[in-house]
Amino acid sequence: MNTIHGYSPSGNCHKLRLLLEQLPLPYRWIETDSSRGATRTLEYLALNPNGKVPLLVRDDGSVLVESNAILHYLAEGSAFLPDDPWARAQALSWMFFEQYSHEPYIAVARFICGWTPLDSPRRAELPRLRERGHQALAVMERHLSRHPWFTGADYGIADIALFAYTGVAEDGGFDLAAYRALRDWLIRVRTTPGFVPMPPPAPEHAALIAASH
Amino acid sequence: MNTIHGYSPSGNCHKLRLLLEQLPLPYRWIETDSSRGATRTLEYLALNPNGKVPLLVRDDGSVLVESNAILHYLAEGSAFLPDDPWARAQALSWMFFEQYSHEPYIAVARFICGWTPLDSPRRAELPRLRERGHQALAVMERHLSRHPWFTGADYGIADIALFAYTGVAEDGGFDLAAYRALRDWLIRVRTTPGFVPMPPPAPEHAALIAASH
C-alpha cells in the first residue's frame, strides 16, 4: 500500500487524497505539517531533499515527489488519465500550467493570508500575486467556456490539479464572481463520484484567513 | 511536420530544439521574440492565451503549450522517455521540480541580468533568486552524486529540461564551481549524440549579461 506524507489543508497534498479516494485505492496518510517545520527535519529531508510535501512512499521504500507527477503515476491506466496521446499531452500541459502560472500566485496568496501574521511584510506581495492569479483564472475561464474539463473529454487529473487551489482561491482574497464557467466547473468537480473536500485549516489559520478579508 | 514557435535564447524553447535535433524529427521553427512583445499580439494569444513561448502546432492546426508537456509528448515511444512506469514517474517529477523550484529562480535571474536595464529595480530581486536557485542546484548535485542522469538509467527529457537553464546559469550570476557532479553532468549532456548548443543571445543582451557580473 502507498503511504502519503501530506499536510491536509495544502492543495498540493489534497490533490492526492482526492484522486486516491476517487480511484479508489487504499493508502496510508502521514500528517506532515510543513507550516511547522515537519518537512525540514533530517529524517524528512532524507526522503525529499527539496523539503516539500506531498510525497509518496511505496512498500519497498522508494519515493516519488511532486504532486502532479504523483497524480500522473497513480492515474496511469485509469479513467482519470486518457489513453489518447494528444489528450494526455493536453492534460499534462494544464498540470504544468498549474504549477508555473497558477499555484505560485493563488496558493501563495492563500498561504500568506492564512499562515503569516496580519502584520507580516509578506502581505505586501498580495496585490501582485492577485494580479497574476487573476491572469491564470482568466486563462482557465476561457478554456472552460468551451470545454467541460481540463483532462480531455472527461474529468481527471488535470481537473484535480487545478481544482485543488482554485477551490480555495477565496481564502487568498480572489473574488470568483466574474468567472461563470469556472464556478460551474467547481460545482461539477464537487459532484463527481467519491469527491472529498479539503479538510479545513486549523482554527488559528481559519481565523487569519477570515481577518485578511 | 510540427511547427515550433520559440525564442531561441530562451531555455524553455531550446529544450524543444535540442530534443527535436536529437530524436531527430523534422520541424519548422518560427522565431518569436517574447522579449519584444511577440507573444502579446492578438494573433499569438489566439494560439496561447497564456502568452508564453514555446508552443507546438501540428499540421491540423492543433496546439500544445508548456515546454515540458511538449517534451513529454514528442519523446513518447523514443529512448528519451523510459517505458517503465516508475522511471517515467521519476522523470516527470524532475520536470515538475524544474518548473517549480529551478526555472523561476535560475531562468528569471538570467532574464533580469540580460533583458532588463542595468538600473532596473528588478535587480533587487537577484539575491533572493540566487539563494533559491542555489537550493535547486544543491538538490540536483545530491542526485547527480549518485546517478548519471535524471531520466532513469539513460539520458532523456528530464535531463534536457534541467539542462536548458542550468547550462546557462552563469549568465544569471550562478557560480557552479561547488557543484562537481553537476558540472560533470553538463559535460555529459553536451557530448550526447546530436547535441546542439543554445543560440547565443543578441549582442545587446550578451552585453547586459557581461556587465551584470
Side-chain angles (χ1 to χ4, degrees):
Chain A
M1 195 192 301
N2 293 315
T3 299
I4 306 294
H5 295 244
Y7 179 42
S8 289
S10 148
N12 284 326
C13 298
H14 186 62
K15 293 172 187 176
L16 305 190
R17 174 174 271 141
L18 179 50
L19 177 62
L20 286 160
E21 294 285 343
Q22 293 195 303
L23 276 166
L25 267 182
Y27 62 98
R28 285 189 209 91
W29 183 279
I30 296 180
E31 189 66 21
T32 306
D33 188 345
S34 49
S35 75
R36 296 184 189 277
T39 54
R40 293 284 156 192
T41 63
L42 285 178
E43 189 184 357
Y44 194 85
L45 289 169
L47 292 174
N48 182 6
N50 203 27
K52 295 185 191 299
V53 277
L55 66 76
L56 174 148
V57 187
R58 299 197 297 184
D59 285 337
D60 66 0
S62 54
V63 172
L64 181 62
V65 299
E66 296 291 335
S67 59
N68 289 353
I70 299 171
L71 283 183
H72 196 270
Y73 171 71
L74 291 171
E76 192 72 57
S78 80
F80 295 86
L81 180 60
D83 287 331
D84 174 66
W86 188 250
R88 291 168 74 96
Q90 295 294 343
L92 208 46
S93 176
W94 281 113
M95 294 167 83
F96 279 107
F97 164 85
E98 189 267 336
Q99 284 288 286
Y100 194 86
S101 298
H102 181 289
E103 203 268 12
Y105 308 110
I106 294 175
V108 173
R110 175 174 178 258
F111 174 80
I112 290 173
C113 289
W115 281 263
T116 72
L118 288 170
D119 60 355
S120 166
R122 290 205 60 186
R123 288 179 185 256
E125 300 171 30
L126 287 171
R128 180 178 160 274
L129 294 174
R130 289 187 184 134
E131 182 190 336
R132 302 291 289 268
H134 276 296
Q135 289 171 13
L137 295 172
V139 171
M140 291 174 68
E141 176 73 8
R142 186 185 155 111
H143 177 81
L144 290 166
S145 68
R146 301 169 190 190
H147 307 277
W149 304 112
F150 290 99
T151 317
D154 298 300
Y155 169 74
I157 56 172
D159 299 282
I160 291 174
L162 281 162
F163 175 81
Y165 285 108
T166 309
V168 291
E170 288 169 346
D171 289 354
F174 289 93
D175 180 354
L176 302 183
Y179 305 105
R180 182 170 177 172
L182 185 145
R183 286 186 290 118
D184 287 347
W185 167 78
L186 289 175
I187 292 168
R188 284 198 298 281
V189 174
R190 289 188 174 113
T191 51
T192 52
F195 176 84
V196 288
M198 183 190 287
E204 111 192 50
H205 302 299
L208 280 167
I209 288 168
S212 295
H213 312 310
Chain B
M1 193 192 304
N2 293 316
T3 299
I4 305 294
H5 294 245
Y7 178 44
S8 290
S10 148
N12 284 326
C13 299
H14 187 61
K15 293 172 186 175
L16 305 190
R17 174 175 270 141
L18 179 50
L19 176 63
L20 286 161
E21 293 285 343
Q22 293 194 303
L23 276 166
L25 266 183
Y27 61 97
R28 287 189 205 91
W29 182 280
I30 296 180
E31 190 66 19
T32 306
D33 188 344
S34 48
S35 76
R36 294 184 190 277
T39 54
R40 292 287 156 190
T41 63
L42 285 178
E43 189 184 358
Y44 193 85
L45 289 169
L47 292 174
N48 182 6
N50 203 27
K52 295 185 190 299
V53 278
L55 67 77
L56 175 149
V57 187
R58 300 196 297 184
D59 285 337
D60 66 2
S62 53
V63 171
L64 182 63
V65 299
E66 295 293 334
S67 59
N68 289 353
I70 300 171
L71 283 183
H72 197 270
Y73 171 72
L74 291 171
E76 191 73 56
S78 80
F80 295 86
L81 180 59
D83 286 331
D84 173 66
W86 188 249
R88 292 168 73 96
Q90 295 294 342
L92 208 45
S93 176
W94 281 112
M95 294 167 84
F96 279 107
F97 165 85
E98 190 265 336
Q99 284 288 285
Y100 194 86
S101 297
H102 181 288
E103 202 268 13
Y105 309 111
I106 294 177
V108 173
R110 175 173 178 260
F111 174 80
I112 289 173
C113 289
W115 281 263
T116 71
L118 288 170
D119 60 355
S120 165
R122 291 205 59 185
R123 288 179 185 257
E125 299 171 31
L126 287 170
R128 179 178 161 273
L129 294 174
R130 288 186 185 133
E131 183 190 336
R132 302 292 290 268
H134 276 296
Q135 289 172 12
L137 295 171
V139 170
M140 291 174 67
E141 176 73 8
R142 185 184 155 112
H143 177 83
L144 289 167
S145 67
R146 302 169 189 191
H147 307 277
W149 304 112
F150 290 99
T151 317
D154 299 301
Y155 170 73
I157 55 172
D159 299 283
I160 291 174
L162 280 162
F163 174 82
Y165 285 108
T166 310
V168 292
E170 289 170 344
D171 289 353
F174 289 92
D175 180 354
L176 302 184
Y179 305 104
R180 183 171 176 172
L182 184 146
R183 287 186 289 117
D184 288 347
W185 167 78
L186 289 175
I187 293 167
R188 284 199 298 282
V189 174
R190 290 189 173 111
T191 51
T192 52
F195 176 84
V196 288
M198 183 190 287
E204 106 189 58
H205 301 299
L208 281 167
I209 288 168
S212 295
H213 313 308

